[in-house]
Short mmCIF file of all heavy atoms in Angstrom, two decimals:
data_model
loop_
_atom_site.label_atom_id
_atom_site.label_comp_id
_atom_site.label_asym_id
_atom_site.label_seq_id
_atom_site.Cartn_x
_atom_site.Cartn_y
_atom_site.Cartn_z
N ALA A 257 -22.54 36.25 -83.65
CA ALA A 257 -22.93 34.87 -83.42
C ALA A 257 -23.69 34.30 -84.62
O ALA A 257 -23.61 33.11 -84.94
CB ALA A 257 -23.79 34.75 -82.16
N LEU A 258 -24.45 35.15 -85.31
CA LEU A 258 -25.22 34.70 -86.47
C LEU A 258 -24.40 34.65 -87.74
O LEU A 258 -24.61 33.82 -88.62
CB LEU A 258 -26.43 35.62 -86.68
CG LEU A 258 -27.54 35.54 -85.62
CD1 LEU A 258 -28.57 36.62 -85.84
CD2 LEU A 258 -28.20 34.16 -85.66
N SER A 259 -23.43 35.55 -87.89
CA SER A 259 -22.68 35.66 -89.13
C SER A 259 -21.34 34.94 -89.12
O SER A 259 -20.71 34.75 -90.17
CB SER A 259 -22.41 37.13 -89.47
OG SER A 259 -21.54 37.73 -88.51
N TRP A 260 -20.83 34.56 -87.92
CA TRP A 260 -19.53 33.91 -87.80
C TRP A 260 -19.39 32.76 -88.79
O TRP A 260 -20.33 31.99 -88.99
CB TRP A 260 -19.34 33.39 -86.38
CG TRP A 260 -17.99 32.74 -86.17
CD1 TRP A 260 -16.85 33.34 -85.78
CD2 TRP A 260 -17.69 31.34 -86.34
NE1 TRP A 260 -15.83 32.42 -85.70
CE2 TRP A 260 -16.30 31.18 -86.04
CE3 TRP A 260 -18.41 30.22 -86.73
CZ2 TRP A 260 -15.67 29.95 -86.11
CZ3 TRP A 260 -17.77 28.99 -86.80
CH2 TRP A 260 -16.42 28.87 -86.50
N PRO A 261 -18.25 32.64 -89.46
CA PRO A 261 -16.99 33.38 -89.28
C PRO A 261 -16.90 34.66 -90.09
O PRO A 261 -15.86 35.32 -90.11
CB PRO A 261 -15.94 32.38 -89.76
CG PRO A 261 -16.66 31.63 -90.85
CD PRO A 261 -18.09 31.51 -90.41
N ASP A 262 -17.99 35.06 -90.77
CA ASP A 262 -17.96 36.27 -91.57
C ASP A 262 -18.17 37.51 -90.71
O ASP A 262 -18.67 37.42 -89.57
CB ASP A 262 -19.06 36.22 -92.65
CG ASP A 262 -18.83 35.11 -93.67
OD1 ASP A 262 -17.66 34.79 -93.91
OD2 ASP A 262 -19.82 34.55 -94.17
N ARG A 263 -17.78 38.64 -91.25
CA ARG A 263 -18.03 39.95 -90.63
C ARG A 263 -18.90 40.75 -91.59
O ARG A 263 -18.47 41.04 -92.71
CB ARG A 263 -16.72 40.69 -90.37
CG ARG A 263 -15.82 40.07 -89.31
CD ARG A 263 -16.27 40.47 -87.91
NE ARG A 263 -15.29 40.07 -86.91
CZ ARG A 263 -15.39 40.36 -85.61
NH1 ARG A 263 -16.42 41.05 -85.18
NH2 ARG A 263 -14.48 39.94 -84.77
N LEU A 264 -20.11 41.09 -91.16
CA LEU A 264 -21.01 41.84 -92.02
C LEU A 264 -20.85 43.33 -91.77
O LEU A 264 -20.72 43.78 -90.62
CB LEU A 264 -22.47 41.44 -91.76
CG LEU A 264 -22.82 39.97 -92.05
CD1 LEU A 264 -24.31 39.75 -91.80
CD2 LEU A 264 -22.45 39.58 -93.47
N TYR A 265 -20.87 44.09 -92.85
CA TYR A 265 -20.80 45.57 -92.73
C TYR A 265 -22.09 46.08 -92.07
O TYR A 265 -23.19 45.63 -92.37
CB TYR A 265 -20.65 46.20 -94.10
CG TYR A 265 -20.77 47.71 -94.08
CD1 TYR A 265 -19.67 48.50 -93.74
CD2 TYR A 265 -21.98 48.34 -94.34
CE1 TYR A 265 -19.77 49.87 -93.69
CE2 TYR A 265 -22.10 49.73 -94.29
CZ TYR A 265 -20.99 50.48 -93.96
OH TYR A 265 -21.10 51.85 -93.90
N THR A 266 -21.93 47.02 -91.14
CA THR A 266 -23.09 47.68 -90.54
C THR A 266 -22.95 49.19 -90.71
O THR A 266 -21.84 49.72 -90.87
CB THR A 266 -23.23 47.37 -89.04
OG1 THR A 266 -22.28 48.16 -88.31
CG2 THR A 266 -23.02 45.91 -88.74
N ASP A 267 -24.09 49.87 -90.63
CA ASP A 267 -24.09 51.33 -90.65
C ASP A 267 -24.29 51.88 -89.23
O ASP A 267 -24.67 53.04 -89.06
CB ASP A 267 -25.18 51.86 -91.60
CG ASP A 267 -26.57 51.40 -91.20
OD1 ASP A 267 -26.71 50.69 -90.20
OD2 ASP A 267 -27.52 51.75 -91.95
N TRP A 268 -24.06 51.02 -88.23
CA TRP A 268 -24.20 51.47 -86.84
C TRP A 268 -23.10 52.45 -86.49
O TRP A 268 -22.05 52.49 -87.13
CB TRP A 268 -24.14 50.27 -85.91
CG TRP A 268 -25.19 49.23 -86.23
CD1 TRP A 268 -26.36 49.40 -86.92
CD2 TRP A 268 -25.14 47.84 -85.90
NE1 TRP A 268 -27.04 48.23 -87.02
CE2 TRP A 268 -26.32 47.25 -86.43
CE3 TRP A 268 -24.23 47.03 -85.24
CZ2 TRP A 268 -26.60 45.89 -86.29
CZ3 TRP A 268 -24.50 45.68 -85.07
CH2 TRP A 268 -25.67 45.11 -85.61
N GLU A 269 -23.33 53.22 -85.45
CA GLU A 269 -22.36 54.24 -85.03
C GLU A 269 -21.04 53.58 -84.66
O GLU A 269 -20.99 52.73 -83.78
CB GLU A 269 -22.89 55.02 -83.83
CG GLU A 269 -21.93 56.10 -83.36
CD GLU A 269 -22.39 56.78 -82.08
OE1 GLU A 269 -23.44 56.40 -81.55
OE2 GLU A 269 -21.67 57.71 -81.64
N PRO A 270 -19.94 53.93 -85.34
CA PRO A 270 -18.65 53.33 -84.98
C PRO A 270 -18.12 53.90 -83.67
O PRO A 270 -18.49 55.01 -83.27
CB PRO A 270 -17.74 53.74 -86.16
CG PRO A 270 -18.36 55.00 -86.70
CD PRO A 270 -19.83 54.87 -86.49
N LEU A 271 -17.29 53.13 -83.02
CA LEU A 271 -16.72 53.56 -81.75
C LEU A 271 -15.75 54.72 -81.98
O LEU A 271 -14.85 54.64 -82.81
CB LEU A 271 -15.99 52.41 -81.08
CG LEU A 271 -15.29 52.75 -79.75
CD1 LEU A 271 -16.32 53.17 -78.70
CD2 LEU A 271 -14.46 51.56 -79.26
N ASP A 272 -15.96 55.80 -81.26
CA ASP A 272 -15.07 56.97 -81.28
C ASP A 272 -14.39 57.02 -79.92
O ASP A 272 -15.01 57.36 -78.90
CB ASP A 272 -15.89 58.23 -81.54
CG ASP A 272 -15.03 59.48 -81.67
OD1 ASP A 272 -13.94 59.54 -81.06
OD2 ASP A 272 -15.47 60.43 -82.37
N LEU A 273 -13.10 56.70 -79.88
CA LEU A 273 -12.40 56.64 -78.60
C LEU A 273 -12.32 58.00 -77.91
O LEU A 273 -12.34 58.09 -76.69
CB LEU A 273 -11.00 56.07 -78.80
CG LEU A 273 -10.94 54.56 -79.12
CD1 LEU A 273 -9.52 54.15 -79.45
CD2 LEU A 273 -11.47 53.74 -77.95
N VAL A 274 -12.21 59.05 -78.72
CA VAL A 274 -12.18 60.40 -78.12
C VAL A 274 -13.52 60.71 -77.47
O VAL A 274 -13.58 61.23 -76.35
CB VAL A 274 -11.83 61.44 -79.20
CG1 VAL A 274 -11.92 62.85 -78.62
CG2 VAL A 274 -10.43 61.19 -79.76
N LYS A 275 -14.60 60.36 -78.16
CA LYS A 275 -15.94 60.58 -77.60
C LYS A 275 -16.17 59.70 -76.39
O LYS A 275 -16.81 60.12 -75.40
CB LYS A 275 -16.99 60.27 -78.68
CG LYS A 275 -18.43 60.52 -78.24
CD LYS A 275 -19.40 60.24 -79.37
CE LYS A 275 -20.84 60.43 -78.95
NZ LYS A 275 -21.78 60.13 -80.06
N ALA A 276 -15.65 58.47 -76.43
CA ALA A 276 -15.81 57.57 -75.28
C ALA A 276 -15.11 58.12 -74.04
O ALA A 276 -15.55 57.90 -72.92
CB ALA A 276 -15.26 56.18 -75.63
N GLY A 277 -13.99 58.83 -74.26
CA GLY A 277 -13.29 59.46 -73.15
C GLY A 277 -12.46 58.48 -72.34
O GLY A 277 -11.95 57.50 -72.86
N ASN A 278 -12.33 58.76 -71.05
CA ASN A 278 -11.51 57.91 -70.18
C ASN A 278 -12.12 56.53 -69.98
O ASN A 278 -13.33 56.41 -69.79
CB ASN A 278 -11.32 58.60 -68.82
CG ASN A 278 -10.51 59.87 -68.90
OD1 ASN A 278 -9.68 60.01 -69.79
ND2 ASN A 278 -10.77 60.80 -67.99
N LEU A 279 -11.27 55.52 -70.04
CA LEU A 279 -11.68 54.17 -69.71
C LEU A 279 -11.05 53.79 -68.39
O LEU A 279 -9.82 53.78 -68.27
CB LEU A 279 -11.24 53.20 -70.83
CG LEU A 279 -11.72 53.53 -72.25
CD1 LEU A 279 -11.23 52.49 -73.24
CD2 LEU A 279 -13.24 53.65 -72.28
N THR A 280 -11.87 53.53 -67.40
CA THR A 280 -11.37 53.31 -66.04
C THR A 280 -11.73 51.90 -65.55
O THR A 280 -12.65 51.27 -66.05
CB THR A 280 -11.93 54.35 -65.06
OG1 THR A 280 -13.37 54.24 -65.04
CG2 THR A 280 -11.54 55.76 -65.49
N PHE A 281 -11.00 51.46 -64.54
CA PHE A 281 -11.17 50.11 -64.00
C PHE A 281 -10.98 50.15 -62.49
O PHE A 281 -10.22 50.97 -61.98
CB PHE A 281 -10.15 49.15 -64.61
CG PHE A 281 -10.13 49.19 -66.11
CD1 PHE A 281 -9.28 50.05 -66.78
CD2 PHE A 281 -10.97 48.39 -66.86
CE1 PHE A 281 -9.24 50.12 -68.15
CE2 PHE A 281 -10.95 48.45 -68.25
CZ PHE A 281 -10.08 49.30 -68.89
N ARG A 282 -11.71 49.28 -61.80
CA ARG A 282 -11.48 49.14 -60.36
C ARG A 282 -11.88 47.73 -59.92
O ARG A 282 -12.67 47.05 -60.55
CB ARG A 282 -12.23 50.20 -59.57
CG ARG A 282 -13.73 50.25 -59.74
CD ARG A 282 -14.28 51.39 -58.88
NE ARG A 282 -15.74 51.46 -58.88
CZ ARG A 282 -16.45 52.41 -59.43
NH1 ARG A 282 -15.84 53.39 -60.07
NH2 ARG A 282 -17.76 52.42 -59.34
N GLU A 283 -11.28 47.33 -58.82
CA GLU A 283 -11.57 46.01 -58.29
C GLU A 283 -12.96 45.99 -57.67
O GLU A 283 -13.35 46.94 -56.99
CB GLU A 283 -10.53 45.65 -57.22
CG GLU A 283 -10.65 44.25 -56.68
CD GLU A 283 -9.55 43.92 -55.68
OE1 GLU A 283 -8.67 44.79 -55.46
OE2 GLU A 283 -9.60 42.81 -55.09
N PRO A 284 -13.72 44.92 -57.91
CA PRO A 284 -15.06 44.85 -57.31
C PRO A 284 -15.01 44.72 -55.80
O PRO A 284 -14.09 44.07 -55.25
CB PRO A 284 -15.70 43.63 -57.96
CG PRO A 284 -14.54 42.80 -58.45
CD PRO A 284 -13.46 43.77 -58.78
N ASP A 285 -15.96 45.34 -55.12
CA ASP A 285 -16.05 45.31 -53.66
C ASP A 285 -16.83 44.07 -53.27
O ASP A 285 -18.03 43.96 -53.51
CB ASP A 285 -16.75 46.57 -53.18
CG ASP A 285 -16.84 46.66 -51.66
OD1 ASP A 285 -16.71 45.63 -50.99
OD2 ASP A 285 -17.06 47.76 -51.14
N HIS A 286 -16.17 43.11 -52.62
CA HIS A 286 -16.83 41.84 -52.29
C HIS A 286 -17.87 42.02 -51.20
O HIS A 286 -18.78 41.18 -51.07
CB HIS A 286 -15.79 40.81 -51.88
CG HIS A 286 -14.88 40.38 -53.00
ND1 HIS A 286 -15.32 39.53 -53.98
CD2 HIS A 286 -13.62 40.74 -53.33
CE1 HIS A 286 -14.32 39.34 -54.87
NE2 HIS A 286 -13.29 40.07 -54.49
N HIS A 287 -17.78 43.07 -50.40
CA HIS A 287 -18.80 43.34 -49.39
C HIS A 287 -20.08 43.86 -50.06
O HIS A 287 -21.18 43.56 -49.62
CB HIS A 287 -18.28 44.32 -48.34
CG HIS A 287 -17.18 43.78 -47.51
ND1 HIS A 287 -17.37 42.80 -46.57
CD2 HIS A 287 -15.84 44.07 -47.49
CE1 HIS A 287 -16.20 42.51 -45.99
NE2 HIS A 287 -15.27 43.27 -46.54
N LYS A 288 -19.91 44.64 -51.11
CA LYS A 288 -21.06 45.16 -51.84
C LYS A 288 -21.67 44.10 -52.75
O LYS A 288 -22.88 44.09 -52.98
CB LYS A 288 -20.64 46.37 -52.69
CG LYS A 288 -21.81 47.04 -53.40
CD LYS A 288 -21.33 48.11 -54.39
CE LYS A 288 -20.79 49.32 -53.69
NZ LYS A 288 -20.50 50.44 -54.63
N TYR A 289 -20.83 43.22 -53.27
CA TYR A 289 -21.28 42.22 -54.26
C TYR A 289 -20.99 40.80 -53.78
O TYR A 289 -20.18 40.08 -54.39
CB TYR A 289 -20.57 42.46 -55.59
CG TYR A 289 -20.77 43.83 -56.20
CD1 TYR A 289 -19.70 44.72 -56.34
CD2 TYR A 289 -22.03 44.24 -56.66
CE1 TYR A 289 -19.86 45.96 -56.92
CE2 TYR A 289 -22.18 45.49 -57.23
CZ TYR A 289 -21.11 46.34 -57.36
OH TYR A 289 -21.27 47.57 -57.94
N PRO A 290 -21.63 40.31 -52.72
CA PRO A 290 -21.32 38.96 -52.21
C PRO A 290 -21.73 37.85 -53.20
O PRO A 290 -21.24 36.72 -53.07
CB PRO A 290 -22.14 38.87 -50.92
CG PRO A 290 -23.25 39.89 -51.10
CD PRO A 290 -22.64 40.99 -51.89
N CYS A 291 -22.62 38.15 -54.14
CA CYS A 291 -23.04 37.11 -55.10
C CYS A 291 -21.88 36.60 -55.95
O CYS A 291 -21.90 35.46 -56.42
CB CYS A 291 -24.15 37.64 -56.00
SG CYS A 291 -25.77 37.74 -55.18
N MET A 292 -20.88 37.43 -56.17
CA MET A 292 -19.71 36.97 -56.94
C MET A 292 -19.06 35.78 -56.27
O MET A 292 -18.74 34.77 -56.90
CB MET A 292 -18.68 38.09 -57.10
CG MET A 292 -19.05 39.17 -58.07
SD MET A 292 -17.63 40.28 -58.32
CE MET A 292 -17.20 40.72 -56.66
N GLN A 293 -18.81 35.89 -54.96
CA GLN A 293 -18.17 34.80 -54.23
C GLN A 293 -19.02 33.56 -54.21
O GLN A 293 -18.50 32.42 -54.27
CB GLN A 293 -17.85 35.27 -52.80
CG GLN A 293 -16.79 36.36 -52.74
CD GLN A 293 -16.65 36.92 -51.32
OE1 GLN A 293 -17.62 37.37 -50.74
NE2 GLN A 293 -15.44 36.88 -50.80
N LEU A 294 -20.35 33.73 -54.12
CA LEU A 294 -21.24 32.58 -54.13
C LEU A 294 -21.12 31.83 -55.46
O LEU A 294 -21.16 30.60 -55.51
CB LEU A 294 -22.67 33.03 -53.90
CG LEU A 294 -23.00 33.67 -52.55
CD1 LEU A 294 -24.48 34.10 -52.50
CD2 LEU A 294 -22.68 32.73 -51.41
N ALA A 295 -20.99 32.59 -56.55
CA ALA A 295 -20.89 31.96 -57.87
C ALA A 295 -19.57 31.21 -58.04
O ALA A 295 -19.56 30.09 -58.56
CB ALA A 295 -21.04 33.03 -58.96
N TYR A 296 -18.47 31.83 -57.62
CA TYR A 296 -17.18 31.12 -57.68
C TYR A 296 -17.24 29.82 -56.85
O TYR A 296 -16.74 28.77 -57.28
CB TYR A 296 -16.05 32.00 -57.16
CG TYR A 296 -15.42 32.90 -58.18
CD1 TYR A 296 -15.74 34.24 -58.29
CD2 TYR A 296 -14.45 32.40 -59.05
CE1 TYR A 296 -15.14 35.06 -59.24
CE2 TYR A 296 -13.84 33.21 -60.01
CZ TYR A 296 -14.18 34.55 -60.09
OH TYR A 296 -13.58 35.35 -61.04
N ALA A 297 -17.84 29.90 -55.66
CA ALA A 297 -17.91 28.72 -54.79
C ALA A 297 -18.77 27.63 -55.45
O ALA A 297 -18.41 26.44 -55.41
CB ALA A 297 -18.49 29.10 -53.44
N ALA A 298 -19.89 28.01 -56.06
CA ALA A 298 -20.75 27.02 -56.71
C ALA A 298 -20.06 26.41 -57.92
O ALA A 298 -20.14 25.21 -58.16
CB ALA A 298 -22.06 27.68 -57.14
N GLY A 299 -19.33 27.25 -58.67
CA GLY A 299 -18.61 26.74 -59.83
C GLY A 299 -17.56 25.75 -59.44
O GLY A 299 -17.39 24.68 -60.05
N ARG A 300 -16.81 26.07 -58.39
CA ARG A 300 -15.75 25.15 -57.93
C ARG A 300 -16.33 23.85 -57.35
O ARG A 300 -15.72 22.79 -57.47
CB ARG A 300 -14.86 25.85 -56.92
CG ARG A 300 -14.00 26.96 -57.52
CD ARG A 300 -13.02 27.53 -56.50
NE ARG A 300 -12.08 28.43 -57.13
CZ ARG A 300 -12.08 29.76 -56.98
NH1 ARG A 300 -13.01 30.35 -56.22
NH2 ARG A 300 -11.18 30.52 -57.59
#
């Protein structure tokens, strides 16, 4: 956000996909997270 549109070199740890391992996904449980539905309703 500060450097856009440039890309500044960093010495931060680069992403290692092997180290990151499995990338998983699941649908959110609306009973566990009712605030999501409240936000969609307020936005609409």
Side-chain angles (χ1 to χ4, degrees):
L258 291 172
S259 66
W260 181 89
D262 295 329
R263 293 278 190 176
L264 298 183
Y265 172 83
T266 77
D267 59 2
W268 304 338
E269 181 185 2
L271 178 63
D272 183 331
L273 288 174
V274 174
K275 183 178 178 181
N278 294 332
L279 304 181
T280 61
F281 308 90
R282 58 181 185 249
E283 185 178 356
D285 182 340
H286 293 283
H287 294 289
K288 184 188 289 188
Y289 302 115
C291 284
M292 286 189 307
Q293 293 172 304
L294 296 179
Y296 272 101
R300 290 187 172 108

